[in-house]
């Protein structure tokens, strides 16, 4: 059974940065980052196709967040210029989706890591 593990959440002041990491226990085609705040649905933030490195971003993430992979297959979400609205539980997901930022198309999920942006 595939396992997905996130790390790197925490608390930061507005304008600050955080880097989230995601590791999958075996090969995957695509890794996505999603977030979910209390009372809201799970929102796609960014995704990367591992074979080719193509990346996809939600409008809320463009220009501030960067998704990337390393040679070992770990996927990172670098978040800059964080805002209070970015406060959420962030989840890493793995799968082979057609729609890259749609949570329902991912098969494997991590437990989530909390990101809090507050002064």
């Amino acid at each position: 059974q595939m396992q997905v593990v996130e790390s790197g959440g925490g608390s930061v002041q507005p304008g600050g940065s955080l880097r989230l990491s995601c590791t999958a226990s075996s090969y995957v085609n695509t890794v996505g980052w999603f977030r979910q705040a209390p009372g809201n649905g799970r929102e796609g933030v960014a995704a990367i196709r591992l074979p080719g490195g193509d990346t996809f971003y939600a409008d809320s993430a463009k220009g501030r967040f960067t998704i990337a992979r390393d040679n070992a297959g770990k996927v990172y979400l670098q978040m800059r210029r964080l805002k209070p609205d970015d406060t959420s539980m962030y989840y890493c997901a793995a799968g082979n989706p057609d729609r890259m930022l749609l949570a329902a198309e991912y098969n494997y999920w991590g437990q989530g890591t909390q990101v809090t942006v507050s002064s």
Side-chain angles (χ1 to χ4, degrees), residues 3 20 23 25 28-29 35 41 50-53 62 64-65 68 73 90 93 97-98 107-108 110 113-114 116:
Q3 290 188 324
L20 307 182
T23 302
S25 60
V28 293
N29 176 274
R35 65 188 183 185
L50 296 186
K62 289 177 182 176
R64 300 188 301 125
F65 296 1
Y90 282 72
D98 290 324
N107 306 103
Y108 305 100
T113 185
Q114 178 68 36
T116 302

Side-chain angles (χ1 to χ4, degrees), residues 27-31 48-54 68-69 73-75:
Y27 175 81
V28 293
N29 176 274
T30 301
V31 172
I48 184 168
R49 287 204 193 281
L50 296 186
D54 292 339
R69 57 177 177 170
K74 183 175 286 189
V75 173

Side-chain angles (χ1 to χ4, degrees), residues 95-119:
N96 188 20
D98 290 324
R99 289 167 287 184
M100 302 291 284
L101 298 180
L102 186 62
E105 298 208 3
Y106 285 78
N107 306 103
Y108 305 100
W109 291 85
Q111 293 300 306
T113 185
Q114 178 68 36
V115 171
T116 302
V117 185
S118 173
S119 55

Side-chain angles (χ1 to χ4, degrees), residues 19-107:
R19 189 177 78 160
L20 307 182
S21 301
C22 175
T23 302
S25 60
S26 57
Y27 175 81
V28 293
N29 176 274
T30 301
V31 172
W33 283 98
F34 295 80
R35 65 188 183 185
Q36 187 169 19
N40 292 347
R42 197 160 288 190
E43 172 193 8
V45 175
I48 184 168
R49 287 204 193 281
L50 296 186
D54 292 339
T55 57
F56 304 82
Y57 295 95
D59 288 344
S60 59
K62 289 177 182 176
R64 300 188 301 125
F65 296 1
T66 303
I67 189 169
R69 57 177 177 170
D70 65 14
N71 290 335
K74 183 175 286 189
V75 173
Y76 302 93
L77 183 69
Q78 178 69 53
M79 304 186 293
R80 298 181 177 88
R81 304 201 309 276
L82 283 161
K83 308 173 184 179
D85 284 351
D86 295 316
T87 296
S88 193
M89 184 70 79
Y90 282 72
Y91 296 91
C92 181
N96 188 20
D98 290 324
R99 289 167 287 184
M100 302 291 284
L101 298 180
L102 186 62
E105 298 208 3
Y106 285 78
N107 306 103

